[in-house]
Amino acid sequence: NGGFVSGMIWYQGCSDAKAETIPLFRQSMIRFVSALRRDFHFPGMPFVQVQIARLIYTDSTSDENWTCIREIQRTLRNSIQNLLTVPAVDLELDDGIHISGKSQIILGRRLAEAAYTLAGGKDALPPPIELDSIRMKPLPKINEVQIIVSFRNVAGELTAAGRPAGFMFNNSQEDLSFRAELKGNSVILHCGFGAPVANLGYGCCANPYCNIHHSAGRSLPAFAWQPLYER
């Protein structure tokens, strides 16, 4: 109609969570965003996408596939400029796949904030929270090993309603930590010394419960299994 398109909001990925399409998803998104920007004659058009939400258990293969799509979405910013990804893994559902009406309002605010950030808003928040680093710190004298997970773009500090939850170990739903401590922009997972911790994910597996946010109400992003090494 002759108007100017200021940006794009995109919520998709579930239909690509299949073994045959996952290997194509990153390049498909890169080509898609490039085509949109070309067609709208706007090379740097802001693009805000939603990281797909929870999946109620169907089978282990579906769950792994959804985790793969979320991970591609989480890291897509490394391949596409002027793109931000907004997590939804913490939101309530109305069925096995779709977020509730109340959650849509929360998600809408997160999307608006991310779009305002990309637009260079005067009082904009930082971009959505991103995983920064994971390190393992053995403390044999107190029979403990700590997994320290740090994040970027944390407004204020990390908080949780009740016991912080959402982390899982070893490609499974098991949580091997006996305590999760929130400290500024980091989560310290306290595990027993010698616990068989090989890798760590957040919001993986079937129907995860994730309740860690920062002071502005944004969720940690779901991330796929990251190897753990002593550092």
Side-chain angles (χ1 to χ4, degrees), residues 199-228:
N199 58 33
L200 179 73
Y202 186 78
C204 303
C205 298
N207 195 20
Y209 176 67
C210 302
N211 70 343
I212 304 176
H213 305 83
H214 67 28
S215 300
R218 293 176 176 177
S219 169
L220 297 184
F223 59 83
W225 309 107
Q226 309 292 311
L228 295 175

Side-chain angles (χ1 to χ4, degrees), residues 142-153:
I142 59 172
N143 196 32
E144 182 178 312
V145 61
Q146 295 179 356
I147 313 297
I148 304 167
V149 191
S150 298
F151 297 89
R152 294 189 296 271
N153 307 329

Side-chain angles (χ1 to χ4, degrees), residues 74-143:
R74 182 182 75 85
T75 58
L76 200 57
R77 192 182 183 191
N78 299 331
S79 304
I80 302 175
Q81 291 184 338
N82 238 22
L83 175 144
L84 293 177
T85 302
V86 173
V89 71
D90 62 313
L91 299 177
E92 292 295 328
L93 302 178
D94 263 350
D95 57 24
I97 185 174
H98 298 101
I99 65 173
S100 69
K102 183 178 179 180
S103 292
Q104 293 279 3
I105 295 172
I106 297 171
L107 179 60
R109 183 178 183 87
R110 292 177 182 175
L111 288 166
E113 289 170 347
Y116 191 53
T117 297
L118 278 179
K122 180 180 177 181
D123 54 349
L125 289 169
I129 302 172
E130 295 181 357
L131 177 65
D132 187 18
S133 65
I134 303 175
R135 61 189 181 94
M136 187 164 62
K137 182 179 179 181
L139 299 169
K141 288 186 177 180
I142 59 172
N143 196 32

